[in-house]
Amino acid sequence: MREQQYFVILATVAVLLALGGAIQQVKFHVEKPLSGIAIYKTTFDLNEKKAHVKASPTLLGSNGQHSESVLVEFSSLYPSDDDWIGVFSPAHFMASTCPGDTIKSVGRPRLCSLPIKFQYANVSNPRYKATGVGSMKLQLINQRSDFSFALFSGGLLNPKLVAVSNKVAFENSNAPVYPRLALGKEWNEMTVTWTSGYGPDVAEPVVEWGIKGGKRKLSPARTLTYGRNDLCGPPARTVGWRDPGYIHTSFLKELWPSSKYTYKVGHRLSNGAFIWSKEYHFKSSPFPGQDSLQHVVIFGDMGKAEVDGSNDYNSIQRPSLNTTRQLIKDLNKTDAVFHIGDICYASGYLSQWDQFTAQIEPIASTVPYMIASGNHERDWPYSGSFYHGVDSGGECGVPAETMFYVPNQNRDKLWYSSDYGMFRFCVADTEHDWSKGTDQYKFIEHCLASVDRKKQPWLIFLAHRVLGYSSTSFYAETGYFAERLGRVHLEKLWKKYKVDVAVYGHAHNYERTCPVYQSLCTTYEKANYKSPMDGTIHVVAGGGGAHLAEFSKQQPSWSLFRDYDHGYVKLTAVDHSSLLFEYKKSGDGRVHDSFKISRGYRDDSACGVDSCPATTHAT
């Protein structure tokens, strides 16, 4: 039998034991199928006559690919429907002791880390239990080390290792991979971040870039990494640990507005030779206030999934592939992406960060991919997060803050402002305190107050947890219909500075409100709004790919549109006077909800906060 019914209980008990029983009454939000494997309980029965596993080809990426399928063939004399294949990296995954062991080695082998993914043996051959023979194709990405495949019997709760394959490796496992763009601190700056196995003492990280058809230049990059002890707890420090390699970020400055650039990332070796990625391209940002069509995509809670169907314990994030495909299809009409928290749901299983950056590479290498902090990135008891949950799996923000660049002042506090053409985005970090008087509250007010609405008429507030309005069941049950005290501290700011739209994740569905203030609609219009609206439209866009969340049976008067499905939202600034909002489903890419905001010649939102001149030029 497969152990789905035990999976949540097992993960919960494991975390409580790891914390010494100190955390009580925690509402667990377990996401990872890997957490269902009791890897420490593994026993061994390695006998070549009983079982075998073979993987081919053994050398991958000979033509520069960073993703390739491997054929895994296996057999067993005592097959069972509970047999499974684990993918391990590095290939040598058995040890005599594990980090953190308090008992001296007794000489027998142990498994100290979980596989990076797995699949049941009978998936490709329904008659596996009868024949004992099976095969499957598994897709590997370049993750800075070699791989091996292991056949286990006994299911996930009582795993018995019965066979291990030959090694498989990419030709250059250290190669620069998965570039991800981000907006810089200035409007005419773009940053590019990538991952490699080259430390700065081995090779110098560089970007070769230039305007399309023009002269190229070399720009250096800074390098970051983190170790096991930089993380806060299990499984990130224990069975979920995997070396993250090196994360490089280069700052491409003084860009011409709305111009096409090409670039490639790489490393200059000590002998002067270069190792390069393939060539990519991006379009630089328009200057603040530039009047042109500008498209921004926003969603939260996407996660990742394996295209080969592996690691499919509960199919929790399979729809993330649909969202990714739709975003790729729409790239020609996308200028920036904001992924507002719960990014890949690694939750302490660090190999998943590489797999996520590989999944989004076609998007993030072409348009800025901005992130916000969510509970699955940051939350861990006594680590400085606002909430004392364990949803980060011991990561406490370190991988997210290292893998992605945002233009903030403190790397651990992911609040920042970002300008794109006619947009000003104020991005909050709900995993740190936002209440009045805190540093984050002061940042939020400054971000909202400092924008010039004549140049950037469209003011957007972004955050992971719902600080505004949501009728998702778990919010409705509290009676607040949002994060507790969120509106108490922030709603007057949204009103004072005339925030047009606020978008949140965390609740895995889609919901749109009327322009609302203190739970009352300020207009009865539903689709065509004329500014000023005297309220902010609040949107939940948490259906990026993770399992869906139910709505409450009660639909408040401020809730205009609800959809229990996966999708994302798109904002299009047509000009200074017109903003188009669209909600698209990931399944078909079609628009299922929309509205427009129009501004007249004289508009209070283009004025100062407490006064307005006789005429303004919002257009």
Side-chain angles (χ1 to χ4, degrees), residues 50 190 211 215 379 471 475 550 572:
K50 292 182 179 179
M190 190 74 75
I211 201 163
K215 187 178 179 180
D379 291 3
S471 64
Y475 278 130
E550 298 280 353
T572 299

Side-chain angles (χ1 to χ4, degrees), residues 291-294 422-423 458 572-580:
D291 202 345
S292 60
L293 277 177
Q294 295 159 15
M422 292 176 280
F423 288 105
W458 309 116
T572 299
V574 179
D575 51 36
H576 286 70
S577 300
S578 184
L579 177 72
L580 172 64

Side-chain angles (χ1 to χ4, degrees), residues 430-441:
T430 57
E431 310 316 298
H432 285 90
D433 193 354
W434 67 83
S435 57
K436 191 171 183 178
T438 62
D439 288 344
Q440 181 165 198
Y441 181 92

